[in-house]
Amino acid sequence: MSDKKNYGFTTTILHNDRRKGIEHGSLHKPVHTSVTFGYDDARQLAAVFQGKEPGFRYGRQGNPTISALEDKITRMEDGVGTLCFATGMGAIGALFQALLRAGDHVVSSSFLFGNTNSLWQTTAGQGIAVDFVDATDVANVEAALTPATRIVFVETIANPRTQVADLARIGKLCAQRGILYVVDNTMTTPYLFRPKSVGAGLVVNSLTKSIGGHGNALGGSLTDTGAYDWSNYPHIAANYKRAAPAQWGLAQLRAKALRDFGASLGPEAAHHIAVGAETLALRMERTCANALALARMLEADERVAAVHYPGLASHPQHAIATELFKSYGSLFSFELKDGIDCFDYLNRLTIAVSASNLGDTRTLVIPVSHTIFFEMGAERRASMGIAESLIRVSVGIEDTADLLADFRGAL
Ligand SMILES: *Cc1c(COP(=O)(O)O)cnc(C)c1O
């Protein structure tokens, strides 16, 4: 396949492995299970260790199957390089492990995936100050910046309340101040949105969700978009500054996070994720259409108190979402009117499954305050706009009419 032609999203993913030639003409990059890689010439092994020659050495730092997936994600995000991790949290934790030190400051959106919220509480206890702000308005981010701010962290569409960060204006602000801008793109995926377009330096994807798409493998990734000038970052060790500055961030992340902490993606999981990614665009078209149909139906029902979905005209960031994203995502949340028990409602659904994953091919539902956001307590939930009766829906690829009937029937 030619490297020069400007192929579309799906064509590029489907044929990407062949660009570099696959063993024996295989159409899938094979699953390499070998933990280590042998060399006939010991000098070559040394050259690989010293970074003077490309090559694999030990599975924790990389493997041909993982590399093929990393390359695919780099192409999806239009970046310069990607590192895969065992989970999405492994990828987010790597920021803390490789890039932050005691005395540093992070500004994070307060509308966050629950475990990321928990991680920032942990780092705060280790000398890294984290300020949570309402990132739907860049003014709140700007007001929180200090001379020690190293990272601004936001999600595109927040899970579960679907607030959309002021993505483009925050990107401009970070560029002006030379601050690393990290965007978690899990909810939009590179098919709906490329954070590079708003100046993000690093992009997080939980591959467990829509990219893998079938709920059969955990994984996470960090992609360097090339937008951040690493020569501005104060904590890059001399060891990782041998190549051009564009390589510094991933070099340090690979060594200080992946190698030293060891949250490496397994080759079998990488294979499942790579196969799932082939149909990302098709699945997103279907799940976004299903989500919009369900959100519209529920919003029109008098027994429903509120529906949160960026595709609805009533959503506070509907205009920004329309401007930035190809569509509005697979996830929405809603609140039932007082008197309707959310557990009774969920138990009456016959297609949607009560479960905690999202981005699966199957529709999954969960009572947020009683499960994924239980540990943080009522006060923090209220500050994040999470009602006690909030139900999160991760919409699958089922037939639209079946889903509409299921959600209407359960009311
Ligand atoms: C699920 C999720 C993560 C964490 O990913 P895991 O693969 O479950 O570790 C991070 N960010 C967002 C927005 C998520 O939905």
Side-chain angles (χ1 to χ4, degrees):
M1 181 188 191
S2 158
D3 218 0
K4 297 188 185 74
K5 286 217 178 76
N6 224 350
Y7 293 111
F9 189 86
T10 296
T11 310
T12 302
I13 298 172
L14 277 174
H15 296 281
N16 196 55
D17 291 345
R18 286 172 47 225
R19 283 171 53 237
K20 292 188 172 165
I22 316 185
E23 300 86 309
H24 313 298
S26 170
L27 293 191
H28 288 283
K29 184 71 183 177
V31 181
H32 286 268
T33 55
S34 185
V35 163
T36 195
F37 301 85
Y39 292 86
D40 290 339
D41 177 355
R43 285 190 189 83
Q44 200 188 350
L45 175 65
V48 168
F49 260 80
Q50 292 167 22
K52 292 176 183 154
E53 267 188 46
F56 297 99
R57 36 182 168 155
Y58 184 67
R60 183 162 15 84
Q61 287 106 290
N63 150 312
T65 312
I66 314 290
S67 280
L69 176 63
E70 289 174 342
D71 200 47
K72 218 170 268 193
I73 298 164
T74 301
R75 304 268 293 188
M76 290 191 219
E77 289 287 4
D78 192 25
V80 296
T82 296
L83 272 185
C84 280
F85 295 85
T87 64
M89 286 317 299
I92 298 171
L95 301 171
F96 161 57
Q97 292 152 356
L99 299 178
L100 295 169
R101 291 188 189 166
D104 285 347
H105 178 246
V106 173
V107 176
S108 170
S109 166
S110 52
F111 310 126
L112 276 185
F113 178 63
N115 302 153
T116 308
N117 176 71
S118 173
L119 172 74
W120 289 139
Q121 315 281 347
T122 307
T123 60
Q126 299 183 351
I128 296 158
V130 182
D131 270 315
F132 293 100
V133 302
D134 176 348
T136 60
D137 183 348
V138 66
N140 299 324
V141 175
E142 185 162 19
L145 296 179
T146 77
T149 307
R150 300 279 166 256
I151 287 177
V152 170
F153 186 97
V154 304
E155 295 177 6
T156 50
I157 303 175
N159 158 17
R161 266 284 269 100
T162 74
Q163 297 95 337
V164 179
D166 198 356
L167 291 157
R169 276 175 282 266
I170 297 172
K172 283 208 186 88
L173 174 68
C174 289
Q176 280 162 9
R177 306 290 180 89
I179 295 171
L180 177 60
Y181 183 27
V182 183
V183 174
D184 183 335
N185 198 28
T186 301
M187 300 288 293
T188 22
T189 81
Y191 179 63
L192 299 188
F193 177 62
R194 281 180 171 148
K196 179 183 179 178
S197 67
V198 294
L202 288 177
V203 181
V204 174
N205 279 292
S206 167
L207 307 174
T208 316
K209 311 295 171 54
S210 303
I211 290 182
H214 297 72
N216 58 353
L218 292 156
S221 65
L222 282 180
T223 299
D224 188 327
T225 65
Y228 183 71
D229 179 359
W230 288 99
S231 59
N232 285 331
Y233 205 80
H235 312 319
I236 303 291
N239 272 352
Y240 311 116
K241 284 185 175 173
R242 285 198 215 108
Q247 314 291 326
W248 295 1
L250 284 187
Q252 180 151 318
L253 282 156
R254 187 181 290 282
K256 290 287 136 191
L258 195 64
R259 186 194 67 194
D260 295 0
F261 283 82
S264 313
L265 183 65
E268 291 87 356
H271 171 71
H272 283 305
I273 292 163
V275 173
E278 294 180 355
T279 54
L280 175 64
L282 288 88
R283 287 182 285 104
M284 290 306 285
E285 294 285 348
R286 175 75 162 239
T287 58
C288 291
N290 276 348
L292 185 60
L294 280 171
R296 282 187 176 147
M297 180 196 78
L298 290 168
E299 189 178 48
D301 195 296
E302 72 219 358
R303 291 162 293 189
V304 173
V307 182
H308 310 291
Y309 185 60
L312 297 174
S314 58
H315 189 283
Q317 291 93 39
H318 178 63
I320 283 191
T322 304
E323 185 191 319
L324 293 179
F325 309 148
K326 194 189 295 267
S327 184
Y328 304 100
S330 320
L331 185 135
F332 72 91
S333 54
F334 70 105
E335 297 157 33
L336 294 163
K337 284 230 167 109
D338 288 348
I340 307 180
D341 185 290
C342 67
F343 290 102
D344 289 345
Y345 178 80
L346 293 174
N347 289 343
R348 278 195 295 270
L349 291 166
T350 57
I351 296 172
V353 187
S354 287
S356 74
N357 190 22
L358 56 92
D360 199 303
T361 44
R362 298 152 194 84
T363 297
L364 307 177
V365 287
I366 193 159
V368 174
S369 295
H370 308 276
T371 56
I372 48 176
F373 279 43
F374 181 73
E375 185 183 306
M376 67 177 60
E379 199 179 313
R380 177 111 178 92
R381 281 199 294 274
S383 77
M384 296 169 86
I386 310 288
E388 294 301 295
S389 71
L390 191 74
I391 292 172
R392 184 185 78 184
V393 185
S394 168
V395 182
I397 60 170
E398 293 94 341
D399 298 278
T400 314
D402 292 338
L403 286 181
L404 290 173
D406 198 27
F407 280 78
R408 194 189 302 114
L411 282 169

